[in-house]
Amino acid sequence: MIGPFAGLATRSLFVFDPETAHGLSIAALKTGLVPACRLAADPRLAQTVAGIRFANPIGLAAGYDKNAEVPDAMLKLGFGFTEIGTVTPKPQAGNDKPRIFRLVEDRGVINRLGFNNEGHEAAFARLTARRNAPGVVGVNIGANKDAADRVADYVAGIRKFYALATYFTVNISSPNTPGLRDLQARDSLKILLEAVLAARAEEALRHGRTIPVFLKIAPDLTEEGLDDIAAEATAHPLDGLIVSNTTLARDGLKDQAQAKEAGGLSGAPLYRRSTAVLAKMRKRVGPDLPVIGVGGVSSAADALEKIRAGADLVQLYSCMVYEGPGLPATIVKGLSGLLDRDNVSSIRELRDTRLDQWADTKL
């Protein structure tokens, strides 16, 4: 029953501006008004990545549940994992409103939120309250806009959430915090990874377990920039990459009025670019480093194509604006159907089967 009711609710949210609609959807999830989806487990979709067991490969990307308000509600919608944040040490309001724009004709979203969140303490309290609950919940960490030492902010995130996170994502790829993407430059990235992974090593000794750390990168990198990130990613004990964040590109958009808004573009228009960058990074880092593909996923076919292009797991967010909360369950069911069609015993078998085609894509 989630389909028709969820579709109606999603359309009704379009009466409101995007940020108000987002807040209302969080409120609905907190009150339990959005029904859970009971999916039958399909062992062909399950796999272990970076030492973590995932029941299915579809996850919620960071940006929706910034303050760790509804991780368990999102898991009940059918996601195999969810990621809270981006969370910064101190609370911050983010950029001036309006700062989210729907591109309905393009099924895209532009945002310039700027890491608006309630800070470490608020997210820590909520995650502590659900610490014994099942499910894979990652913590996406960032730096405050006014931080004197941004590397120290990332280290603080590792230390604060070490006992609570299933994995960490180091987000240096948002275009909405001035200078943040500069951390992707090779020398800066080396310093950041050394500090973050040293903190992880210290916490692992204290807690008796090693929490995986992923690095989230932008889709707007040059070939040389991809080379540099791949070199540093493979030179350090990093556990994987997330490809990618939003793009500053505006190629081929129908809604030229909204396209003029500053910020990162996500949703369907990001699909081709993000998938190509995913494949290019897979070619560079080799077959063993886990990679999570993000950007423009709105169907099981989209998700499977990300896997064929080199992804171990797939995340989505913006396409739920248009497809509604039933999307993750629809995709998971659809993946099972595609495996039936192709007589495949594990989705892992399909990874990299279209790697070369996507890696050769001109951006």
Side-chain angles (χ1 to χ4, degrees):
M1 296 296 289
I2 192 171
F5 290 115
L8 178 62
T10 299
R11 289 190 294 274
S12 69
L13 286 176
F14 274 47
V15 172
F16 302 96
D17 70 86
E19 193 155 356
T20 299
H22 175 264
L24 289 171
S25 70
I26 292 280
L29 286 162
K30 289 171 73 173
T31 58
L33 293 177
V34 179
C37 177
R38 291 172 176 81
L39 284 170
D42 185 344
R44 298 172 301 173
L45 299 180
Q47 58 182 311
T48 299
V49 177
I52 302 169
R53 183 68 172 172
F54 294 86
N56 72 64
I58 305 302
L60 176 68
Y64 179 76
D65 190 12
K66 289 179 176 291
N67 297 304
E69 296 178 271
V70 290
D72 296 299
M74 298 311 295
L75 291 170
K76 289 176 182 176
L77 292 180
F79 284 112
F81 62 109
T82 187
E83 186 171 312
I84 69 100
T86 297
V87 62
T88 57
K90 296 185 297 183
Q92 61 182 25
N95 297 319
D96 294 339
K97 298 179 181 180
R99 53 192 182 179
I100 309 177
F101 307 89
R102 300 185 190 100
L103 287 74
V104 177
E105 286 182 272
D106 301 289
R107 303 185 76 76
V109 176
I110 291 173
N111 92 81
R112 50 172 182 263
L113 289 163
F115 284 175
N116 59 308
N117 74 105
E118 296 173 5
H120 280 184
E121 292 301 333
F124 180 82
R126 294 186 181 110
L127 291 177
T128 298
R130 55 90 53 203
R131 69 183 305 162
N132 295 319
V136 176
V137 179
V139 176
N140 185 300
I141 54 175
N144 282 111
K145 181 179 180 179
D146 61 356
D149 183 347
R150 284 182 171 171
V151 171
D153 277 11
Y154 287 98
V155 169
I158 296 288
R159 297 197 186 282
K160 185 69 177 179
F161 294 100
Y162 200 85
L164 300 169
T166 311
Y167 68 87
F168 286 102
T169 297
V170 175
N171 184 4
I172 57 172
S173 51
S174 170
N176 301 316
T177 297
L180 188 76
R181 285 187 171 186
D182 293 345
L183 290 171
Q184 294 178 131
R186 186 163 185 178
D187 289 345
S188 298
L189 181 58
K190 181 176 186 293
I191 292 168
L192 174 66
L193 290 179
E194 285 177 350
V196 164
L197 295 172
R200 191 265 299 269
E202 292 173 5
E203 294 299 320
L205 286 174
R206 285 206 311 125
H207 292 273
R209 62 193 180 105
T210 300
I211 304 300
V213 174
F214 295 87
L215 178 72
K216 187 166 186 175
I217 66 172
D220 302 323
L221 293 154
T222 63
E223 297 283 350
E224 293 77 13
L226 294 175
D227 289 340
D228 287 347
I229 289 175
E232 291 302 321
T234 53
H236 293 86
L238 188 70
D239 297 282
L241 295 169
I242 300 183
V243 186
S244 65
N245 212 314
T246 57
T247 181
L248 294 173
R250 298 290 189 265
D251 304 333
L253 294 176
K254 298 174 184 175
D255 190 337
Q256 287 300 307
Q258 297 283 51
K260 295 175 183 175
E261 295 290 348
L265 172 66
S266 59
L270 179 59
Y271 183 79
R272 178 180 175 276
R273 175 179 289 271
S274 62
T275 308
V277 174
L278 157 68
K280 291 174 187 292
M281 285 304 294
R282 170 58 75 198
K283 294 276 280 192
R284 285 166 166 82
V285 301
D288 297 329
L289 188 71
V291 179
I292 299 176
V294 196
V297 172
S298 63
S299 67
D302 290 344
L304 186 59
E305 194 68 7
K306 292 274 190 189
I307 292 167
R308 291 183 184 277
D312 297 286
L313 304 166
V314 176
Q315 288 178 321
L316 60 90
Y317 165 24
S318 294
C319 288
M320 287 182 70
V321 171
Y322 299 100
E323 304 296 336
L327 181 60
T330 298
I331 290 177
V332 172
K333 291 176 184 176
L335 287 174
S336 293
L338 291 173
L339 296 187
D340 288 339
R341 183 196 68 185
D342 296 337
N343 195 27
V344 175
S345 60
S346 171
I347 199 164
R348 182 82 179 183
E349 296 173 23
L350 299 177
R351 205 199 79 181
D352 300 342
T353 52
R354 283 180 48 82
L355 174 59
D356 290 337
Q357 294 94 319
W358 278 104
D360 290 340
T361 301
K362 297 291 187 291
L363 298 177

